[in-house]
Amino acid sequence: MEILPSILFAVIAIWMASSGRRSIAIVSWVLALLCMLGVMAFHMDSALNISL
């Protein structure tokens, strides 16, 4: 569920790039990467809920 914004930004970036709107596509890719980095940092910093 946390990765949904990055997927949506990537889809928007692909759509904008295919329609020729390069600057919007680049901004959307940057936002997608920032969302992915945020989700990765969130999951890497949280403790694993595994009972051994």
Side-chain angles (χ1 to χ4, degrees):
M1 193 67 170
E2 295 94 8
I3 201 163
L4 186 63
S6 62
I7 292 172
L8 288 176
F9 280 129
V11 168
I12 291 170
I14 292 168
W15 182 32
M16 291 296 137
S18 65
S19 67
R21 297 180 184 148
R22 184 177 178 183
S23 60
I24 299 173
I26 291 171
V27 170
S28 187
W29 276 120
V30 169
L31 290 173
L33 289 173
L34 288 175
C35 286
M36 287 182 211
L37 288 174
V39 170
M40 286 191 316
F42 172 74
H43 283 291
M44 285 189 228
D45 290 341
S46 64
L48 293 174
N49 293 327
I50 299 174
S51 59
L52 298 175

